[in-house]
Amino acid sequence: MKFAVQAVLGVSLLAAFPAFAATPAPATMTAAPTPAHVKAVQDLLGAMEVDKVLRGVASRSRYPTEAQRKAVFAKLDKTPPSEVCQRLAPQLAHFISADTAVEMTRFYRTPYGRQVIHDKYNSRAQIIMPGMTAAVPAEEKNERKRPAYVRASKELADAQPMVEHEAFKLLQVIDREKR
């Protein structure tokens, strides 16, 4: 009975909102990555400070006790950021192309890219008045209009759910390890 109700509800949602039927997968898998491709993704993860993504996933996870939460964070403190990048890169190379990895690594190593990363992981209270926008230097405006950057930024944004998913899987592996 429950299944029939769920099936009818699902079909009615597809009829009412066709956008649900046409939603693409978050990212598609590519062929087997080359070592150079994996290295490019590893460099990108380092520039993105993906170890902070792992800590974010750990902080959003639910633990039965506070002691378990502290134990997971202690293991994360002992795990160097380079190891996190090295362990995530082979899985994420299927979802992030080499061109995207090179372009976004270059962007994240610019002064504006470092500011973007800093603001992403170090959010703070901000007062934003209506009509007020952040001042962006002219060279950064031109940088953001480059076709290679636009394409790479979109691909990386599409792969972000997979980055979070792979970070969660790595967090589970690190939690099971004896450190």
Side-chain angles (χ1 to χ4, degrees):
M1 180 66 179
K2 286 183 184 180
F3 177 72
V5 172
Q6 291 172 349
V8 170
L9 180 62
V11 171
S12 65
L13 275 176
L14 290 177
F17 301 104
F20 283 122
T23 53
T28 57
M29 291 198 66
T30 60
T34 63
H37 182 184
V38 172
K39 177 68 173 136
V41 172
Q42 185 175 345
D43 292 343
L44 170 64
L45 296 176
M48 287 175 55
E49 299 179 14
V50 78
D51 56 306
K52 293 182 180 174
V53 171
L54 194 65
R55 293 184 70 76
V57 169
S59 66
R60 289 188 305 270
S61 298
R62 296 182 183 172
Y63 298 97
T65 65
E66 188 62 27
Q68 286 178 334
R69 174 187 277 294
K70 288 180 181 178
V72 168
F73 277 97
K75 288 180 182 179
L76 287 179
D77 289 340
K78 293 177 185 174
T79 306
S82 59
E83 181 184 338
V84 172
C85 297
Q86 184 180 17
R87 292 173 77 173
L88 281 176
Q91 287 80 20
L92 292 176
H94 294 287
F95 304 103
I96 300 172
S97 70
D99 294 337
T100 295
V102 169
E103 178 64 27
M104 293 309 291
T105 301
R106 188 198 58 73
F107 170 73
Y108 285 132
R109 289 190 175 148
T110 65
Y112 181 70
R114 285 192 298 264
Q115 179 185 349
V116 167
I117 290 294
H118 180 269
D119 291 347
K120 181 177 181 178
Y121 298 123
N122 300 302
S123 62
R124 59 194 177 280
Q126 298 177 355
I127 298 174
I128 299 177
M129 303 175 98
M132 190 170 140
T133 59
V136 177
E139 62 271 4
E140 294 304 330
K141 285 182 184 178
N142 293 336
E143 179 70 25
R144 287 197 252 166
K145 292 179 184 176
R146 288 182 50 241
Y149 170 77
V150 171
R151 187 175 44 258
S153 178
K154 181 178 179 341
E155 184 180 330
L156 188 60
D158 291 344
Q160 193 61 34
M162 292 310 300
V163 172
E164 296 277 333
H165 177 71
E166 293 298 330
F168 179 73
K169 287 172 34 179
L170 180 60
L171 178 68
Q172 289 177 327
V173 170
I174 289 173
D175 186 31
R176 285 187 220 118
E177 291 175 350
K178 303 290 183 199
R179 290 195 176 231

